[in-house]
Amino acid sequence: MMAATSRTNTKSQTVKAFVSVKKESGAGLLTNLVSGIVGKTLVLELVSEELDPKSNSEKTTRKADANKIQEKENEVQYEATFQLPAGFGNVGAVLVENEYPNEVFLRKIVLEGFPDGHVHLTCESWVQPKHDSPLKRVFFTEKSYLPTQTPSGLRRLREEELVLLRGNGEGVRKSSDRIYDYDVYNDLGDPNTNIDLKRPILGGSKQFPYPRRCRTGRKHSDADPLYETRSSSFYVPRDEAFAKIKQTQFDTTTLSSGVRAVLESFDAILTNTNLGFESFEDIDTLYKEGFHLPPLKGNGLNLLQRVVPHLIKAANDSQNLLRFDTPEAVQRDKFFWLSDEEFARETLAGVNPYGIQLVKEWPLRSKLDPQIYGPQESAITDEVIESQIIGYSTVEEAIKEKKLFMLDYHDLFLPYVSKVRKIEGTTLYGSRTLFFLTKEGTLKPLAIELTRPAMDGKPQWKQVFTPAPHSIGLWLWRLAKTHVLAHDSGYHELISHWLRTHCVIEPFVIATNRQLSAMHPIYRLLNPHLRYTMEINALGREVLINANGVIETSFFTRKYSMELSSVAYDQLWQFDLQSLPNDLIHRGMAVEDPNAPHGLKLTIEDYPFANDGLIVWDAIKQWVTDYVNHYYPSFDVIESDHELQSWWTEIRMVGHGDKFEELWWPNLKTPEDLIDIVATVAWVASAHHAATNFAQYAYGGYFPNRPTIARNKMPTEDPTKEEWEKFLNKPEQTLLECFPSQIQATLVMVILNLLSYHSPDEEYLGQYMEPSWAENPTIKESFERFSGRLKEIEGIIDSRNADSNLKNRHGAGVIPYELMKPLSRPGVTGKGVPYSITI
């Protein structure tokens, strides 16, 4: 339908408003609303776009009660009738007042009776009862306006709505509030409960810089007034909470407060939390027979069943099982995780494709202070490498030809080795892993260097391990790989996944709602990419990244996990490197080439994440380009948009305020600047997140392939006679004891399964057209091209996975790389790119 034009009506006219209200069982819209309460209703007021030409003030609104006319399974419809006087002009907004005793979820309003077509208002918002929130809610039509183009009759409402959303920075936030404000991460620890649960405050200091989170205003701790107290629920603005279907899905098949029940239940099941697996057959039993759950106290089993119903299987009247689906890779090849080829391939097509980088300098050297950490020189020498790089006589020649690659977790982790090693049941090294690009286009692991700094009166220890065909060398290589895989798992979860998507996007969510009006075109472009992120982040602070949460319980970094992510933010994160092309160039995985597809030449041609990611990036970039150029034909329109400039300033100065002085922040002066900024945000929230999230169970569901912790040091590091003999006699047992404990492995497997799960109402990239886009013919046409291109990408990726020449994505035991395929069915699928960070 076309929206009404700007023609002023010369006759009075009758207009009907049809209001759709979502029916929510057990939340908000209760039965007394559905059945109706005498004298209670929704009150609507129509607002003209125009000022009164005589008084130059806003025209009087037209008010009417909305009466229920129809009730459907999931929706209640209301109707209101208005008599608009001649000269009222176009309706630009509707004010809504809720006289019912409970909040209602308003989906949309459609106005009928205008000569030029219906007027649509998409609401998708909770409206609080009048007695709780006396201010009327305002909803604008689908037509987008830059601030200077705002119709005169709507300017005050546009400005006042933003003031309300910003709040005044005071008071405790209620669950019904719609206020967006900033705070530091001072709620991860819980010193009130136990001083040992105190954690550093992240953000607001040079020592621990960090992005900002949403302010909750909770009271501060008695034990330390700098900390917020923790509560049973974490505030997010009301419209950021999951829609009911997603909330149900989240409670039953994704993370929720019930995850705490998983932790508590496992504690009850396993009295010895350090108990490991005695054999690989025991590990296989998790998939074949399941994990037997004895009777739990209280409603422990009920909570487990509520959180992970698809994992809990009733065995008989007296027993229940926690049974895991066998990951596809294990089904294809039971011993896939032992393969060096798979170890290397997953750096290009696994769950963390952001770690691998080109070796640009030789010899390798640390940049850390040698007075503190020991000699800077790497123990990986020419002699170690040159015997393995077939076709190249020297390391320098291989580097010149761009044949050497590396996972470098040396300088980032080494300062934490002595801290982590003080914690029972975990250990840590700084590590470097070198790979060689073979003529077949695959990576071959060459060497792993593990380093312990000078500590506890001992000098620095470092050793290089290389692939070995048999005996002790083979087991040492497997143990070294276990340490590296734990390092990569921690880097992936804390940095590639949490920090670089969830955490850094939250300030964008806050600033977008505080500074861009709901009728601003950039708000409407970004909103699908920002929905639900704050809710999942709040739940993360509640059970995943908090003190004694899932990460601290199960990852090698333990209580230093979030502190380490702050160090990574400080040392590694730059906004201008978050677009895929810039990230690839920065890591040496691509160079600019105007004659190559995407303007880039990949250093490794068969790099599945980059191959597929670049075509998705190009599609996003083209869609954003079309959209931005329509609303911003010249640089002066960018510079005169005070909402847009305030948005970008607040993101840099407040949301990422600890880095506001960095010179790499892009300027916002031209349409090209805005295109790059918005495309980067859209990429991070959609495809980057998908690449690091939805294959977590596929690759980590069999935990020997991606252990999250290595519990014991290498047997060659200052061994006692007994330790060395034990390793020589039972090397397999040494490996099993290095793996995560039963409770760590099982808990992580549950979490990874839930994180990898697509909700039934997932909104995938390009699948759904926002109503405001459909309202504008030019934008509608651009979106349809975008959507069509994403459908083409599905076929392109299928064709690539069928190409037997692409070894990194095809072959025996290899899971086809599908993480960049835009669409997915519900469940754990290893594909699908949702618009936003929803899990």
Side-chain angles (χ1 to χ4, degrees), residues 727-751:
F727 168 65
L728 293 177
N729 294 327
K730 294 183 177 180
E732 181 176 309
Q733 192 63 34
T734 301
L735 180 59
L736 287 165
E737 291 174 358
C738 190
F739 280 155
S741 68
Q742 289 191 31
I743 189 171
Q744 290 168 336
T746 312
L747 175 62
V748 169
M749 288 162 67
V750 170
I751 300 305

PDB file of all heavy atoms in Angstrom, residues 727-751:
ATOM      1  N   PHE A 727      54.511 -40.819  32.182  1.00  0.00           N
ATOM      2  CA  PHE A 727      54.234 -40.457  30.805  1.00  0.00           C
ATOM      3  C   PHE A 727      54.747 -41.517  29.848  1.00  0.00           C
ATOM      4  O   PHE A 727      54.056 -41.918  28.898  1.00  0.00           O
ATOM      5  CB  PHE A 727      54.861 -39.098  30.482  1.00  0.00           C
ATOM      6  CG  PHE A 727      54.882 -38.780  29.011  1.00  0.00           C
ATOM      7  CD1 PHE A 727      53.702 -38.593  28.306  1.00  0.00           C
ATOM      8  CD2 PHE A 727      56.085 -38.692  28.323  1.00  0.00           C
ATOM      9  CE1 PHE A 727      53.726 -38.316  26.946  1.00  0.00           C
ATOM     10  CE2 PHE A 727      56.124 -38.423  26.966  1.00  0.00           C
ATOM     11  CZ  PHE A 727      54.929 -38.230  26.272  1.00  0.00           C
ATOM     12  N   LEU A 728      55.961 -42.003  30.075  1.00  0.00           N
ATOM     13  CA  LEU A 728      56.526 -43.023  29.188  1.00  0.00           C
ATOM     14  C   LEU A 728      55.692 -44.294  29.192  1.00  0.00           C
ATOM     15  O   LEU A 728      55.493 -44.929  28.145  1.00  0.00           O
ATOM     16  CB  LEU A 728      57.964 -43.347  29.610  1.00  0.00           C
ATOM     17  CG  LEU A 728      59.010 -42.245  29.426  1.00  0.00           C
ATOM     18  CD1 LEU A 728      60.367 -42.708  29.955  1.00  0.00           C
ATOM     19  CD2 LEU A 728      59.114 -41.848  27.961  1.00  0.00           C
ATOM     20  N   ASN A 729      55.202 -44.666  30.359  1.00  0.00           N
ATOM     21  CA  ASN A 729      54.450 -45.916  30.475  1.00  0.00           C
ATOM     22  C   ASN A 729      52.996 -45.785  30.034  1.00  0.00           C
ATOM     23  O   ASN A 729      52.431 -46.721  29.474  1.00  0.00           O
ATOM     24  CB  ASN A 729      54.498 -46.416  31.922  1.00  0.00           C
ATOM     25  CG  ASN A 729      55.900 -46.817  32.344  1.00  0.00           C
ATOM     26  OD1 ASN A 729      56.685 -47.304  31.531  1.00  0.00           O
ATOM     27  ND2 ASN A 729      56.222 -46.605  33.622  1.00  0.00           N
ATOM     28  N   LYS A 730      52.381 -44.598  30.286  1.00  0.00           N
ATOM     29  CA  LYS A 730      50.969 -44.411  29.957  1.00  0.00           C
ATOM     30  C   LYS A 730      50.747 -43.033  29.327  1.00  0.00           C
ATOM     31  O   LYS A 730      50.103 -42.158  29.914  1.00  0.00           O
ATOM     32  CB  LYS A 730      50.105 -44.562  31.207  1.00  0.00           C
ATOM     33  CG  LYS A 730      50.104 -45.954  31.800  1.00  0.00           C
ATOM     34  CD  LYS A 730      49.156 -46.041  33.000  1.00  0.00           C
ATOM     35  CE  LYS A 730      49.090 -47.449  33.565  1.00  0.00           C
ATOM     36  NZ  LYS A 730      48.157 -47.525  34.725  1.00  0.00           N
ATOM     37  N   PRO A 731      51.258 -42.821  28.120  1.00  0.00           N
ATOM     38  CA  PRO A 731      51.114 -41.496  27.502  1.00  0.00           C
ATOM     39  C   PRO A 731      49.645 -41.130  27.238  1.00  0.00           C
ATOM     40  O   PRO A 731      49.270 -39.962  27.330  1.00  0.00           O
ATOM     41  CB  PRO A 731      51.907 -41.629  26.199  1.00  0.00           C
ATOM     42  CG  PRO A 731      51.963 -43.104  25.923  1.00  0.00           C
ATOM     43  CD  PRO A 731      52.001 -43.757  27.259  1.00  0.00           C
ATOM     44  N   GLU A 732      48.828 -42.147  26.932  1.00  0.00           N
ATOM     45  CA  GLU A 732      47.406 -41.877  26.690  1.00  0.00           C
ATOM     46  C   GLU A 732      46.739 -41.339  27.949  1.00  0.00           C
ATOM     47  O   GLU A 732      45.906 -40.433  27.888  1.00  0.00           O
ATOM     48  CB  GLU A 732      46.705 -43.152  26.218  1.00  0.00           C
ATOM     49  CG  GLU A 732      45.230 -42.957  25.909  1.00  0.00           C
ATOM     50  CD  GLU A 732      44.595 -44.208  25.348  1.00  0.00           C
ATOM     51  OE1 GLU A 732      45.155 -44.783  24.390  1.00  0.00           O
ATOM     52  OE2 GLU A 732      43.548 -44.619  25.871  1.00  0.00           O
ATOM     53  N   GLN A 733      47.115 -41.882  29.100  1.00  0.00           N
ATOM     54  CA  GLN A 733      46.560 -41.420  30.365  1.00  0.00           C
ATOM     55  C   GLN A 733      46.985 -39.980  30.644  1.00  0.00           C
ATOM     56  O   GLN A 733      46.194 -39.172  31.163  1.00  0.00           O
ATOM     57  CB  GLN A 733      47.019 -42.331  31.508  1.00  0.00           C
ATOM     58  CG  GLN A 733      46.261 -42.112  32.814  1.00  0.00           C
ATOM     59  CD  GLN A 733      44.779 -42.440  32.688  1.00  0.00           C
ATOM     60  OE1 GLN A 733      44.401 -43.351  31.953  1.00  0.00           O
ATOM     61  NE2 GLN A 733      43.954 -41.680  33.385  1.00  0.00           N
ATOM     62  N   THR A 734      48.202 -39.625  30.282  1.00  0.00           N
ATOM     63  CA  THR A 734      48.672 -38.253  30.455  1.00  0.00           C
ATOM     64  C   THR A 734      47.822 -37.289  29.633  1.00  0.00           C
ATOM     65  O   THR A 734      47.476 -36.193  30.091  1.00  0.00           O
ATOM     66  CB  THR A 734      50.150 -38.139  30.048  1.00  0.00           C
ATOM     67  OG1 THR A 734      50.932 -39.025  30.855  1.00  0.00           O
ATOM     68  CG2 THR A 734      50.663 -36.719  30.219  1.00  0.00           C
ATOM     69  N   LEU A 735      47.484 -37.698  28.417  1.00  0.00           N
ATOM     70  CA  LEU A 735      46.640 -36.861  27.561  1.00  0.00           C
ATOM     71  C   LEU A 735      45.239 -36.716  28.158  1.00  0.00           C
ATOM     72  O   LEU A 735      44.684 -35.607  28.213  1.00  0.00           O
ATOM     73  CB  LEU A 735      46.571 -37.446  26.154  1.00  0.00           C
ATOM     74  CG  LEU A 735      45.712 -36.684  25.136  1.00  0.00           C
ATOM     75  CD1 LEU A 735      46.211 -35.253  24.962  1.00  0.00           C
ATOM     76  CD2 LEU A 735      45.698 -37.420  23.787  1.00  0.00           C
ATOM     77  N   LEU A 736      44.652 -37.814  28.612  1.00  0.00           N
ATOM     78  CA  LEU A 736      43.315 -37.765  29.207  1.00  0.00           C
ATOM     79  C   LEU A 736      43.290 -36.869  30.442  1.00  0.00           C
ATOM     80  O   LEU A 736      42.324 -36.133  30.676  1.00  0.00           O
ATOM     81  CB  LEU A 736      42.847 -39.171  29.565  1.00  0.00           C
ATOM     82  CG  LEU A 736      42.441 -40.063  28.392  1.00  0.00           C
ATOM     83  CD1 LEU A 736      42.354 -41.526  28.836  1.00  0.00           C
ATOM     84  CD2 LEU A 736      41.098 -39.613  27.825  1.00  0.00           C
ATOM     85  N   GLU A 737      44.341 -36.909  31.229  1.00  0.00           N
ATOM     86  CA  GLU A 737      44.400 -36.079  32.433  1.00  0.00           C
ATOM     87  C   GLU A 737      44.619 -34.605  32.101  1.00  0.00           C
ATOM     88  O   GLU A 737      44.298 -33.730  32.907  1.00  0.00           O
ATOM     89  CB  GLU A 737      45.517 -36.585  33.353  1.00  0.00           C
ATOM     90  CG  GLU A 737      45.211 -37.937  33.979  1.00  0.00           C
ATOM     91  CD  GLU A 737      46.383 -38.499  34.767  1.00  0.00           C
ATOM     92  OE1 GLU A 737      47.464 -37.838  34.788  1.00  0.00           O
ATOM     93  OE2 GLU A 737      46.244 -39.595  35.341  1.00  0.00           O
ATOM     94  N   CYS A 738      45.149 -34.327  30.924  1.00  0.00           N
ATOM     95  CA  CYS A 738      45.327 -32.947  30.477  1.00  0.00           C
ATOM     96  C   CYS A 738      44.004 -32.356  29.975  1.00  0.00           C
ATOM     97  O   CYS A 738      43.778 -31.147  30.069  1.00  0.00           O
ATOM     98  CB  CYS A 738      46.378 -32.895  29.382  1.00  0.00           C
ATOM     99  SG  CYS A 738      46.919 -31.234  28.930  1.00  0.00           S
ATOM    100  N   PHE A 739      43.144 -33.212  29.452  1.00  0.00           N
ATOM    101  CA  PHE A 739      41.848 -32.776  28.940  1.00  0.00           C
ATOM    102  C   PHE A 739      40.985 -32.186  30.065  1.00  0.00           C
ATOM    103  O   PHE A 739      41.252 -32.387  31.247  1.00  0.00           O
ATOM    104  CB  PHE A 739      41.099 -33.959  28.323  1.00  0.00           C
ATOM    105  CG  PHE A 739      41.528 -34.313  26.933  1.00  0.00           C
ATOM    106  CD1 PHE A 739      41.349 -35.606  26.446  1.00  0.00           C
ATOM    107  CD2 PHE A 739      42.103 -33.380  26.079  1.00  0.00           C
ATOM    108  CE1 PHE A 739      41.720 -35.954  25.167  1.00  0.00           C
ATOM    109  CE2 PHE A 739      42.487 -33.715  24.793  1.00  0.00           C
ATOM    110  CZ  PHE A 739      42.294 -35.002  24.330  1.00  0.00           C
ATOM    111  N   PRO A 740      39.913 -31.477  29.711  1.00  0.00           N
ATOM    112  CA  PRO A 740      38.980 -30.972  30.722  1.00  0.00           C
ATOM    113  C   PRO A 740      38.437 -32.098  31.595  1.00  0.00           C
ATOM    114  O   PRO A 740      38.363 -33.260  31.169  1.00  0.00           O
ATOM    115  CB  PRO A 740      37.867 -30.334  29.887  1.00  0.00           C
ATOM    116  CG  PRO A 740      38.495 -30.015  28.574  1.00  0.00           C
ATOM    117  CD  PRO A 740      39.524 -31.076  28.344  1.00  0.00           C
ATOM    118  N   SER A 741      38.039 -31.731  32.809  1.00  0.00           N
ATOM    119  CA  SER A 741      37.402 -32.703  33.701  1.00  0.00           C
ATOM    120  C   SER A 741      36.020 -33.058  33.171  1.00  0.00           C
ATOM    121  O   SER A 741      35.516 -32.432  32.232  1.00  0.00           O
ATOM    122  CB  SER A 741      37.276 -32.121  35.110  1.00  0.00           C
ATOM    123  OG  SER A 741      36.328 -31.051  35.107  1.00  0.00           O
ATOM    124  N   GLN A 742      35.390 -34.034  33.778  1.00  0.00           N
ATOM    125  CA  GLN A 742      34.056 -34.439  33.335  1.00  0.00           C
ATOM    126  C   GLN A 742      33.067 -33.285  33.410  1.00  0.00           C
ATOM    127  O   GLN A 742      32.295 -33.052  32.474  1.00  0.00           O
ATOM    128  CB  GLN A 742      33.570 -35.626  34.171  1.00  0.00           C
ATOM    129  CG  GLN A 742      34.287 -36.928  33.885  1.00  0.00           C
ATOM    130  CD  GLN A 742      33.592 -38.117  34.538  1.00  0.00           C
ATOM    131  OE1 GLN A 742      32.377 -38.126  34.702  1.00  0.00           O
ATOM    132  NE2 GLN A 742      34.371 -39.125  34.918  1.00  0.00           N
ATOM    133  N   ILE A 743      33.072 -32.570  34.543  1.00  0.00           N
ATOM    134  CA  ILE A 743      32.109 -31.483  34.685  1.00  0.00           C
ATOM    135  C   ILE A 743      32.410 -30.347  33.714  1.00  0.00           C
ATOM    136  O   ILE A 743      31.492 -29.755  33.133  1.00  0.00           O
ATOM    137  CB  ILE A 743      32.058 -30.959  36.139  1.00  0.00           C
ATOM    138  CG1 ILE A 743      30.883 -29.988  36.299  1.00  0.00           C
ATOM    139  CG2 ILE A 743      33.357 -30.317  36.563  1.00  0.00           C
ATOM    140  CD1 ILE A 743      30.617 -29.600  37.734  1.00  0.00           C
ATOM    141  N   GLN A 744      33.692 -30.041  33.482  1.00  0.00           N
ATOM    142  CA  GLN A 744      34.050 -28.982  32.538  1.00  0.00           C
ATOM    143  C   GLN A 744      33.634 -29.359  31.117  1.00  0.00           C
ATOM    144  O   GLN A 744      32.997 -28.562  30.415  1.00  0.00           O
ATOM    145  CB  GLN A 744      35.550 -28.721  32.594  1.00  0.00           C
ATOM    146  CG  GLN A 744      36.010 -28.055  33.876  1.00  0.00           C
ATOM    147  CD  GLN A 744      37.512 -28.074  34.041  1.00  0.00           C
ATOM    148  OE1 GLN A 744      38.210 -28.928  33.467  1.00  0.00           O
ATOM    149  NE2 GLN A 744      38.035 -27.138  34.827  1.00  0.00           N
ATOM    150  N   ALA A 745      33.990 -30.570  30.711  1.00  0.00           N
ATOM    151  CA  ALA A 745      33.685 -31.003  29.342  1.00  0.00           C
ATOM    152  C   ALA A 745      32.183 -31.070  29.105  1.00  0.00           C
ATOM    153  O   ALA A 745      31.676 -30.581  28.081  1.00  0.00           O
ATOM    154  CB  ALA A 745      34.329 -32.360  29.069  1.00  0.00           C
ATOM    155  N   THR A 746      31.455 -31.661  30.050  1.00  0.00           N
ATOM    156  CA  THR A 746      30.023 -31.850  29.859  1.00  0.00           C
ATOM    157  C   THR A 746      29.288 -30.521  29.872  1.00  0.00           C
ATOM    158  O   THR A 746      28.388 -30.292  29.056  1.00  0.00           O
ATOM    159  CB  THR A 746      29.462 -32.784  30.952  1.00  0.00           C
ATOM    160  OG1 THR A 746      30.288 -33.943  31.060  1.00  0.00           O
ATOM    161  CG2 THR A 746      28.055 -33.210  30.618  1.00  0.00           C
ATOM    162  N   LEU A 747      29.668 -29.634  30.775  1.00  0.00           N
ATOM    163  CA  LEU A 747      29.036 -28.321  30.824  1.00  0.00           C
ATOM    164  C   LEU A 747      29.261 -27.553  29.524  1.00  0.00           C
ATOM    165  O   LEU A 747      28.325 -26.979  28.952  1.00  0.00           O
ATOM    166  CB  LEU A 747      29.584 -27.522  32.004  1.00  0.00           C
ATOM    167  CG  LEU A 747      29.101 -26.074  32.107  1.00  0.00           C
ATOM    168  CD1 LEU A 747      27.587 -26.021  32.295  1.00  0.00           C
ATOM    169  CD2 LEU A 747      29.805 -25.350  33.237  1.00  0.00           C
ATOM    170  N   VAL A 748      30.492 -27.552  29.027  1.00  0.00           N
ATOM    171  CA  VAL A 748      30.786 -26.838  27.794  1.00  0.00           C
ATOM    172  C   VAL A 748      30.020 -27.446  26.625  1.00  0.00           C
ATOM    173  O   VAL A 748      29.513 -26.726  25.756  1.00  0.00           O
ATOM    174  CB  VAL A 748      32.304 -26.819  27.515  1.00  0.00           C
ATOM    175  CG1 VAL A 748      32.594 -26.327  26.098  1.00  0.00           C
ATOM    176  CG2 VAL A 748      33.010 -25.928  28.528  1.00  0.00           C
ATOM    177  N   MET A 749      29.917 -28.763  26.590  1.00  0.00           N
ATOM    178  CA  MET A 749      29.171 -29.398  25.509  1.00  0.00           C
ATOM    179  C   MET A 749      27.706 -28.969  25.524  1.00  0.00           C
ATOM    180  O   MET A 749      27.100 -28.724  24.468  1.00  0.00           O
ATOM    181  CB  MET A 749      29.298 -30.918  25.615  1.00  0.00           C
ATOM    182  CG  MET A 749      30.688 -31.434  25.229  1.00  0.00           C
ATOM    183  SD  MET A 749      31.003 -33.113  25.823  1.00  0.00           S
ATOM    184  CE  MET A 749      29.826 -34.044  24.850  1.00  0.00           C
ATOM    185  N   VAL A 750      27.123 -28.863  26.721  1.00  0.00           N
ATOM    186  CA  VAL A 750      25.744 -28.374  26.822  1.00  0.00           C
ATOM    187  C   VAL A 750      25.656 -26.947  26.285  1.00  0.00           C
ATOM    188  O   VAL A 750      24.800 -26.613  25.460  1.00  0.00           O
ATOM    189  CB  VAL A 750      25.249 -28.420  28.286  1.00  0.00           C
ATOM    190  CG1 VAL A 750      23.925 -27.683  28.433  1.00  0.00           C
ATOM    191  CG2 VAL A 750      25.098 -29.860  28.749  1.00  0.00           C
ATOM    192  N   ILE A 751      26.560 -26.094  26.752  1.00  0.00           N
ATOM    193  CA  ILE A 751      26.522 -24.682  26.363  1.00  0.00           C
ATOM    194  C   ILE A 751      26.742 -24.515  24.863  1.00  0.00           C
ATOM    195  O   ILE A 751      26.050 -23.737  24.203  1.00  0.00           O
ATOM    196  CB  ILE A 751      27.569 -23.876  27.157  1.00  0.00           C
ATOM    197  CG1 ILE A 751      27.290 -23.972  28.654  1.00  0.00           C
ATOM    198  CG2 ILE A 751      27.591 -22.424  26.693  1.00  0.00           C
ATOM    199  CD1 ILE A 751      25.905 -23.572  29.073  1.00  0.00           C
TER     200      ILE A 751
END
